[in-house]
């Protein structure tokens, strides 16, 4: 048998080379893939580092400063890079850049949003060993904390309201008080020896830096613990109160402005009158009307009958006549100039007046003119038309014992037609600084009924004293003698910020929409009985009837977020107090005509508190032990307990005053929040200076926090600041810039 041997060397060698090359290609592919994965991992790590560096930059640069920002601010420009730090190998961790904050208004809530942004940069080498930037950015949205977040807030845990001089008792929290939501005071909370307040689940208490809690024998620390035994008390920096800066922002954002100080001049010849504004909410909008009033005492002005003398010149004047004089013109002659028609010169700027000592009836008024003082105001008005002029007199001289010559300033003239006084036109001259005594036709026309301070130029009505709304215009709003603005309906916009400048406001009605009402702290005016004395009216908001949302329940409760919530909201920001007026609807006269007050609103009383109108009451003489509860004390005005008008009010039109032994008005039912400088009284009785047996004068309290306020605050509602000017912010959103809504 033959053995055949073949030569395979030519086949084995190529195959070996093939497998070597295949292995090499697989190795290269593997190494290439591994290298790509390494580069990808390096890039991903760099992205994470860039994100962390961006966060670090935001926290280090912006977060500490954002509370002091008042507008768009750049902390680190986009072309700047600041090294964040180095690792253990002294390699840079990254850089942050383009850190800024801008402010915008959330159109849904009218809250200011602080949008902070930061960029992180990490350098790595690419596959070509070139340096490239890996960048990531983060954002954070902050929103100022508003006063609506507090169910209860006081700057000082002290009482406010008349009487003033150390007789106003003391306040504490006891068994009749229920607290929920967020509670804060910059002062010290005192607890009663006769029962503890109820803290609803989820409540929290914060105290200012100098605040505290005075516990009692009945109430210890356990009442401020949650269900797990943890304290719900926190100490934070004092919150600035009153929030004047942020209230100024509210006024600046007003969508409607109603002027109530247009009749207040403080200087010049025109007398001062105040204006009351009444706002009644209704479906789809609100009604507004205004009327003027003068605070007593009101005097009878001295009015003299004269005629206009348009022919005499120089220092001549006809008997019973009066005319103007302009120094520098021939014979001082001055007449009304009707040209140019679109802006007539009129009388120009006269600087003298010449008048006869004898009035139109021939009565010698020499003594009246001789005794007039420099700075006195004079008004001249026609008896035949609506023309009038006014001026202030300076020095005067008697001429020939039958006329007087006065320098004048602050001259003004008003006429519905383009003409001056006609020769021999009948006029009356009103000496505004002189009077013929108190006007007997004005009810309660005495200083003590309206002022609980000394009748002295150095004293004025205080925020914690008597306040009044029941002037004639309230009872006769259509009387042309008082009417300034007839009832006018305003359709509501998406939201309304209503600013009442220089006056008080009455509110009531059914709120359909989103509103804030804001007033000034106070307005000063010259008193009617003595224009040289200046007094004050505080910017109070008076609740004259229920104020409730259109979708609230019959009992006044507001539908809470867990049950669908309510989109209606009202903010009341009073420069003075928020007062429950003594009206029939509010339960006045011991609930003879009505009972209870419902308020759906977030309320701020800048100066001083949220309180009832207890100093106007129907308590009979002799019921109070000691001083009377319903009448003023002229000899000790600061300790007056009543304004003397309560027994005449809510009387069914009966002109004869009638009293009661109680003036309990029911409950004040609040769904919202209460913020005040000091704690206002809702009820007075024998526990204080009003020595009336319980229940006494005023209301029981039923306060409930409206949790809708957390999501939908009143438009442009005041926000919190600390003493060093920082805005207190809460974080609303945070994340990667690419994920920002």
């Amino acid at each position: 048998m033959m053995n055949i041997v073949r030569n395979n060397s030519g086949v084995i060698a190529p195959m070996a080379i093939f497998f070597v090359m295949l292995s090499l290609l697989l190795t290269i592919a593997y190494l290439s893939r591994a290298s790509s994965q390494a580069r990808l991992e390096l890039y991903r790590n760099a992205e994470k580092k860039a994100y962390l560096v961006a966060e670090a930059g935001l926290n280090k640069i912006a977060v500490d400063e954002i509370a002091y920002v008042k507008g768009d601010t750049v902390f680190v420009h986009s072309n700047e890079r600041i090294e964040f730090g180095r690792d253990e190998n002294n390699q840079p961790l990254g850089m942050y850049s383009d850190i800024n904050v801008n402010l915008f208004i959330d159109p849904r809530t009218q809250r200011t949003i602080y949008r902070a942004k930061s960029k992180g940069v990490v350098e790595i080498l690419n596959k070509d060993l070139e340096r490239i930037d890996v960048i990531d950015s983060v954002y954070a949205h902050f929103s100022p904390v508003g006063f609506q977040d507090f169910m209860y807030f006081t700057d000082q845990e002290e009482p406010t309201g008349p009487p003033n001089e150390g007789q106003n008792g003391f306040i504490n929290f006891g068994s009749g008080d229920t607290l929920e939501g967020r509670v804060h005071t910059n002062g010290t909370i005192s607890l009663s020896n006769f029962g503890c307040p109820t803290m609803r689940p989820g409540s929290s208490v914060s105290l200012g830096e100098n605040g505290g809690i005075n516990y009692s024998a009945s109430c210890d620390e356990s009442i401020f613990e949650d269900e797990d035994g943890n304290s719900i008390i926190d100490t934070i920096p004092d919150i600035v109160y009153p929030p004047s800066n942020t209230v100024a922002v509210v006024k600046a954002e007003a969508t409607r402005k109603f002027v109530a100080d247009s009749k207040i001049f403080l200087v010049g010849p025109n007398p001062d009158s105040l204006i009351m504004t009444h706002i009644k909410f209704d479906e789809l909008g609100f009604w507004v009307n205004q009327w003027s009033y003068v605070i007593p005492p009101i005097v009878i002005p001295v009015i003299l009958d004269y005629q206009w003398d348009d022919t005499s010149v120089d220092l001549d004047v006809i008997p019973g006549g009066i005319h103007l004089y302009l120094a520098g013109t021939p014979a001082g002659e001055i007449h009304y100039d009707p040209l140019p028609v679109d802006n007539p010169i009129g009388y120009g700027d006269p600087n003298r007046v010449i008048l006869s000592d004898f009035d139109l009836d021939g009565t010698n008024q020499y003594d009246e003119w001789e005794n007039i003082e420099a700075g006195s105001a004079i008004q001249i008005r026609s008896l035949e038309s609506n023309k009038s002029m006014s001026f202030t007199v300076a020095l005067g001289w008697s001429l020939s014992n039958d006329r007087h010559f006065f320098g004048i300033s602050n001259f003004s003239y008003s006429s519905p037609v383009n003409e001056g006084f006609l020769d021999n036109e009948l006029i009356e001259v009103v000496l505004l600084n002189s009077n013929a005594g108190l006007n007997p036709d004005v009810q309660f026309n005495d200083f003590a009924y309206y002022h609980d301070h000394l009748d002295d130029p150095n004293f004025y009505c205080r925020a914690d004293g008597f306040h009044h709304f029941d002037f004639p215009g309230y009872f006769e709003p259509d009387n042309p003698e008082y009417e300034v603005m007839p009832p006018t309906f305003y359709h509501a916009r998406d939201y309304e910020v209503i600013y009442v400048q220089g006056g008080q406001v009455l509110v009531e009605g059914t709120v359909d929409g989103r509103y804030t009402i804001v007033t000034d702290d106070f307005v000063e005016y010259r008193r009617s009985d003595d224009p040289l004395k200046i007094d004050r009216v505080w910017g109070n908001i008076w609740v004259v009837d229920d104020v409730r949302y259109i979708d609230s329940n019959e009992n006044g409760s507001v539908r809470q977020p867990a049950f669908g919530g309510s989109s209606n909201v009202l903010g009341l920001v009073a420069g003075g107090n928020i007062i429950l007026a003594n009206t029939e609807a509010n339960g006045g006269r011991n609930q003879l005509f009505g009972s209870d007050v419902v308020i759906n609103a977030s309320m701020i009383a800048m100066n001083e508190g949220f309180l009832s109108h207890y100093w106007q009451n129907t308590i009979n003489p002799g019921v109070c032990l000691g001083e009377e509860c319903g009448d003023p004390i002229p000899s000790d005005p600061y300790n007056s307990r009543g304004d003397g008008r309560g027994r005449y009010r809510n009387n069914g039109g009966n002109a004869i005053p009638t009293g009661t032994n109680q003036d309990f008005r029911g409950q004040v039912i609040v769904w919202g929040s209460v913020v005040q400088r000091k704690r206002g009284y809702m009820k007075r009785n024998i526990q204080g200076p009003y020595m009336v047996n319980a229940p006494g004068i005023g209301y029981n309290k039923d306060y409930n926090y409206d949790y809708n306020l957390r999501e939908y605050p009143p438009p442009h509602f005041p926000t919190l600041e600390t003493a060093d000017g920082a805005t207190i912010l809460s974080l609303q959103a945070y994340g990667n810039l690419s994920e920002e809504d």
Side-chain angles (χ1 to χ4, degrees):
M1 182 171 82
M2 296 181 61
N3 292 324
I4 301 174
V5 179
R6 297 179 177 176
N7 188 352
N8 293 325
S9 61
V11 176
I12 293 172
M15 288 186 66
I17 294 172
F18 170 77
F19 283 113
V20 168
M21 292 298 297
L22 178 61
S23 175
L24 182 60
L25 288 173
L26 290 172
T27 301
I28 292 173
Y30 171 79
L31 292 175
S32 176
R33 185 169 183 272
S35 176
S36 296
Q37 287 180 333
R39 284 198 304 274
L40 181 60
E41 190 65 25
L42 178 65
Y43 189 86
R44 286 174 176 169
N45 287 335
E47 278 188 322
K48 293 177 181 178
K49 288 173 66 178
Y51 183 88
L52 295 174
V53 169
E55 279 189 329
L58 188 66
N59 290 327
K60 184 176 182 180
I61 302 296
V63 169
D64 289 342
E65 299 296 330
I66 192 171
Y68 300 92
V69 165
K70 303 303 179 185
D72 292 354
T73 303
V74 176
F75 295 106
V76 180
H77 290 274
S78 58
N79 58 355
E80 293 181 89
R81 293 184 176 183
I82 299 176
E83 188 175 286
F84 170 63
R86 291 178 175 265
D87 62 18
E88 65 275 9
N89 298 319
N90 200 34
Q91 296 300 309
L93 293 170
M95 297 166 285
Y96 45 77
S97 176
D98 194 17
I99 301 176
N100 58 72
V101 175
N102 58 73
L103 278 59
F104 64 93
I105 300 295
D106 183 344
R108 188 173 63 96
T109 64
Q110 285 69 59
R111 279 176 168 166
T112 298
I113 302 297
Y114 291 61
R115 178 182 182 269
K117 186 187 70 169
S118 175
K119 181 187 294 183
V121 182
V122 173
E123 292 183 346
I124 62 173
L125 297 176
N126 66 7
K127 64 180 180 179
D128 298 321
L129 301 181
E130 297 173 336
R131 290 188 176 277
I132 62 171
D133 292 338
V134 178
I135 298 173
D136 207 348
S137 298
V138 296
Y139 80 95
H141 287 181
F142 299 88
S143 179
V145 177
F147 279 94
Q148 77 283 344
D149 281 3
F150 297 103
M151 182 268 186
Y152 175 90
F153 176 105
T154 58
D155 184 44
Q156 303 171 42
E157 271 294 295
E158 298 175 4
T160 186
N164 307 108
E165 293 298 292
Q167 296 191 35
N168 216 359
F170 61 93
I171 57 171
N172 56 38
F173 285 100
S175 58
D177 296 303
T178 299
L179 300 173
E180 69 171 321
R182 188 176 176 188
V183 175
H184 176 87
T185 182
N186 289 333
T188 298
I189 293 174
S190 294
L191 300 175
S192 172
N193 286 315
F194 304 100
C196 303
T198 299
M199 302 296 297
R200 288 179 177 164
S203 300
S204 65
V205 176
S206 59
L207 304 171
E209 294 168 319
N210 299 311
I213 298 177
N214 291 329
Y215 293 100
S216 68
S218 299
C219 309
D220 59 19
E221 293 89 341
S222 63
I223 71 163
F224 295 122
E225 293 177 352
D226 62 19
E227 58 273 14
D228 297 323
N230 301 312
S231 175
I232 61 172
I233 300 174
D234 190 15
T235 299
I236 64 175
D238 281 352
I239 296 169
V240 171
Y241 200 87
S244 301
N245 291 340
T246 57
V247 169
V249 174
V250 179
K251 296 175 184 177
E253 296 292 341
T255 58
R256 313 270 190 187
K257 181 178 177 181
F258 298 98
V259 176
D261 57 1
S262 58
K263 294 179 176 289
I264 297 175
F265 307 99
L266 291 181
V267 296
N270 295 309
D272 290 348
S273 296
L274 298 131
I275 295 175
M276 186 73 75
T277 303
H278 179 203
I279 298 175
K280 184 174 183 178
F281 293 102
D282 205 345
E283 189 173 357
L284 302 178
F286 58 98
W287 294 88
V288 177
N289 63 308
Q290 293 181 308
W291 59 85
S292 64
Y293 63 98
V294 177
I295 296 179
I298 299 173
V299 297
I300 300 174
V302 174
I303 301 177
L304 307 175
D305 291 331
Y306 274 77
Q307 63 181 332
W308 191 253
D309 180 3
D310 206 43
T311 57
S312 298
V313 296
D314 208 356
L315 302 180
D316 293 331
V317 65
I318 63 174
I322 184 170
H323 70 82
L324 298 172
Y325 179 100
L326 181 60
T329 61
E333 189 170 2
I334 179 172
H335 301 282
Y336 186 88
D337 186 349
L339 299 176
V341 175
D342 57 342
N343 187 23
I345 294 173
Y347 284 112
D349 191 20
N351 46 32
R352 305 284 192 275
V353 64
I354 315 297
L355 54 90
S356 169
D357 285 346
F358 295 89
D359 64 18
L360 197 59
D361 296 328
T363 303
N364 191 344
Q365 302 292 351
Y366 174 86
D367 290 340
E368 200 70 62
W369 294 116
E370 187 66 17
N371 293 323
I372 198 166
E373 296 180 354
S376 295
I378 292 179
Q379 184 182 51
I380 298 175
R381 54 199 187 204
S382 172
L383 295 175
E384 303 173 10
S385 64
N386 290 324
K387 305 170 194 173
S388 68
M389 70 171 57
S390 58
F391 49 81
T392 304
V393 299
L395 294 176
W397 299 269
S398 175
L399 303 173
S400 305
N401 293 320
D402 67 350
R403 72 200 70 176
H404 270 77
F405 173 53
F406 292 97
I408 64 173
S409 61
N410 300 312
F411 176 86
S412 67
Y413 177 76
S414 174
S415 173
V417 294
N418 187 13
E419 67 178 20
F421 287 123
L422 304 178
D423 193 35
N424 299 320
E425 186 169 352
L426 297 179
I427 58 175
E428 56 184 15
V429 181
V430 186
L431 308 186
L432 297 172
N433 291 73
S434 303
N435 68 77
L438 295 176
N439 189 338
D441 296 328
V442 177
Q443 195 178 28
F444 309 106
N445 195 16
D446 187 271
F447 179 84
Y449 288 120
Y450 289 90
H451 306 268
D452 57 347
H453 60 83
L454 297 177
D455 189 1
D456 183 287
N458 297 314
F459 294 85
Y460 49 80
C461 290
R462 308 192 318 192
D464 60 353
F466 280 179
H467 304 277
H468 317 279
F469 79 97
D470 54 327
F471 299 99
Y474 175 73
F475 302 104
E476 305 175 64
D478 299 329
N479 188 329
E481 180 181 352
Y482 312 116
E483 186 178 86
V484 174
M485 174 183 175
T488 304
F489 186 76
Y490 293 85
H491 287 278
R493 300 165 175 157
D494 290 341
Y495 70 90
E496 296 279 8
V497 177
I498 303 170
Y499 172 30
V500 178
Q501 176 185 296
Q504 304 187 89
V505 187
L506 313 181
V507 297
E508 62 177 308
T510 302
V511 177
D512 182 12
R514 303 181 63 242
Y515 296 92
T516 296
I517 297 175
V518 60
T519 67
D520 291 325
D521 288 1
F522 60 83
V523 63
E524 295 187 329
Y525 68 96
R526 293 174 299 177
R527 281 172 40 184
S528 166
D529 60 321
D530 187 349
L532 298 180
K533 294 179 180 177
I534 305 297
D535 215 321
R536 287 181 178 176
V537 167
W538 290 84
N540 301 309
I541 295 178
W542 295 82
V543 179
V544 296
D545 199 348
D546 289 354
V547 182
R548 60 171 75 210
Y549 302 149
I550 194 170
D551 55 357
S552 291
N553 297 315
E554 186 176 347
N555 64 359
S557 62
V558 177
R559 190 170 62 221
Q560 294 302 288
F563 302 96
S566 174
S567 60
N568 299 298
V569 68
L570 173 63
L572 300 177
V573 184
N577 300 272
I578 298 177
I579 307 172
L580 304 186
N582 177 37
T583 63
E584 292 182 359
N586 285 354
R589 189 168 287 276
N590 205 37
Q591 307 177 74
L592 180 61
F593 298 98
S595 183
D596 304 338
V597 187
V598 173
I599 303 175
N600 296 164
S602 183
M603 296 177 281
I604 297 180
M606 301 267 284
N607 302 281
E608 290 266 306
F610 173 50
L611 69 168
S612 70
H613 191 191
Y614 57 81
W615 57 94
Q616 185 176 102
N617 60 72
T618 56
I619 300 300
N620 278 313
V623 171
C624 272
L625 304 177
E627 301 289 354
E628 296 299 342
C629 289
D631 296 311
I633 310 172
S635 62
D636 189 12
Y638 278 127
N639 286 315
S640 289
R641 289 156 175 75
D643 64 11
R645 303 197 299 282
R647 289 187 288 273
Y648 292 81
R649 299 300 187 224
N650 310 318
N651 207 10
N654 187 355
I656 300 174
T658 57
T660 58
N661 293 338
Q662 292 281 324
D663 195 359
F664 181 60
R665 302 170 188 178
Q667 281 190 311
V668 52
I669 303 164
V670 174
W671 281 82
S673 62
V674 178
V675 174
Q676 50 195 332
R677 181 171 175 266
K678 294 182 179 180
R679 186 170 166 184
Y681 279 108
M682 279 296 155
K683 186 169 62 176
R684 307 307 302 262
N685 54 35
I686 205 166
Q687 298 300 322
Y690 289 78
M691 302 298 285
V692 183
N693 289 325
I697 307 165
Y699 302 88
N700 288 333
K701 294 180 292 186
D702 180 7
Y703 292 180
N704 306 271
Y705 184 65
D706 180 5
Y707 286 91
N708 292 291
L709 295 169
R710 298 274 176 90
E711 185 66 23
Y712 292 101
H716 296 289
F717 209 60
T719 54
L720 313 184
E721 292 183 343
T722 59
D724 63 352
T727 301
I728 299 177
L729 301 170
S730 66
L731 181 64
Q732 301 295 310
Y734 184 86
N736 191 286
L737 189 63
S738 63
E739 299 170 354
E740 183 182 23
D741 291 336

